[in-house]
Amino acid sequence: MYGVPREPEAVPGMITAHALTKHFGALTAVDGVTFTVERGEVLGFLGPNGAGKSTTMKMLTSFLPPTAGGATVCGFDVVAEPIAVKERIGYLPEGAPLYGDMTPAQLLDFVADIRGLSGAKRRESLGLAIARTAIAEVLRQPIETLSKGFKRRVGLAQAILHDPEVLILDEPTDGLDPNQKHDVRALLRSMAPHKAIIISTHVLEEVDAVCTRAIIIARGRVLADETPTALKGRIPGRGLDEVFRAITKGA
């Protein structure tokens, strides 16, 4: 029954999507997307603007119901059991929407309350999230006054605060300078063995740097699902950018 805690079903993969579909009126934003992400995998979710990446992520995180098909996170259904799903996910949405009148310290305290963190575990989790995202210097500054890069790092801090089993990150390094990108990628690599991670990105070098697998999507459909090495092997001697254009051109 909805809302009653239960043990998750034994399903393959930490994240599964089966024929996931979303219509907005006559527009089909996501069209039968199917894939699985196991613990220890970092999946790069690639596609041109309007491909359906963010819509897919919103369905996987129970923020948007699918029109057809379905998905599970850690064995919990994204439609029937949204609270159980959200408990197990760290989510960085597109644009990292935050409460601008709060400081990062206030926001993280607020998120810690929502996540049920208390006592020593709360203090440890807050300190670790702040250190990992290097936001200590702006903790008392209103979020609305922060640079785009710092806002993104605050958004990442709230996503990892409760040490979730699953991370779903929409453009996690958007707005960061090269040093900050390097640090965030190193952080993701360090967490990867213990989690299932999906990263939506337009930065193809990020796929090489972090991802163990890559899905290319266009017009709501999966066009490729391979390792970065296998993708590059489609056009020997060329980079992922040329492979991406070859796969998505005219799709």
Side-chain angles (χ1 to χ4, degrees):
M1 181 182 297
Y2 175 77
V4 177
R6 67 165 184 84
E7 291 299 314
E9 297 176 0
V11 296
M14 296 282 285
I15 305 167
T16 67
H18 178 68
L20 201 58
T21 301
K22 184 64 181 179
H23 300 305
F24 294 101
L27 172 67
T28 300
V30 178
D31 190 3
V33 167
T34 297
F35 63 86
T36 299
V37 186
E38 305 284 355
R39 188 186 301 274
E41 284 193 299
V42 182
L43 176 66
F45 210 51
L46 312 175
N49 290 332
K53 302 186 302 297
S54 293
T55 300
T56 299
M57 288 185 154
K58 288 174 183 176
M59 289 190 285
L60 291 176
T61 54
S62 294
F63 280 88
L64 191 65
T67 305
T72 62
V73 173
C74 300
F76 294 97
D77 186 272
V78 297
V79 174
E81 300 161 298
I83 294 176
V85 168
K86 292 175 184 179
E87 285 175 346
R88 289 158 177 81
I89 283 179
Y91 180 36
L92 178 63
E94 183 180 17
L98 303 167
Y99 294 108
D101 57 340
M102 284 185 173
T103 65
Q106 291 169 332
L107 177 77
L108 293 178
D109 270 332
F110 173 64
V111 173
D113 286 341
I114 293 173
R115 295 297 187 180
L117 297 173
S118 61
K121 177 63 176 176
R122 180 191 183 102
R123 292 189 294 273
E124 179 187 0
S125 297
L126 286 167
L128 192 57
I130 291 165
R132 282 177 158 178
T133 55
I135 57 172
E137 66 186 271
V138 298
L139 277 180
R140 309 298 172 185
Q141 189 174 328
I143 290 172
E144 63 188 1
T145 68
L146 300 181
S147 67
K148 183 178 181 180
F150 267 120
K151 288 177 181 176
R152 207 75 187 146
R153 287 151 68 183
V154 173
L156 182 58
Q158 65 78 29
I160 66 174
L161 179 63
H162 57 301
D163 191 24
E165 295 179 79
V166 170
L167 280 175
I168 297 182
L169 309 174
D170 205 341
E171 301 286 351
T173 61
D174 184 37
L176 304 187
D177 66 34
N179 289 333
Q180 293 166 347
K181 287 182 179 180
H182 176 272
D183 291 344
V184 168
R185 291 168 184 167
L187 172 60
L188 294 175
R189 284 194 296 269
S190 72
M191 294 189 295
H194 312 291
K195 303 183 187 301
I197 303 176
I198 299 179
I199 300 172
S200 172
T201 181
H202 288 96
V203 183
L204 295 180
E205 68 182 59
E206 204 145 87
V207 177
D208 262 338
V210 178
C211 298
T212 58
R213 251 174 76 209
I215 282 179
I216 295 179
I217 183 174
R219 297 188 182 276
R221 295 184 178 182
V222 173
L223 303 182
D225 182 353
E226 301 175 21
T227 66
T229 300
L231 276 175
K232 286 187 289 186
R234 289 190 177 205
I235 308 178
R238 304 297 178 90
L240 273 177
D241 54 344
E242 292 197 37
V243 174
F244 177 85
R245 286 196 295 272
I247 291 173
T248 59
K249 187 176 181 181

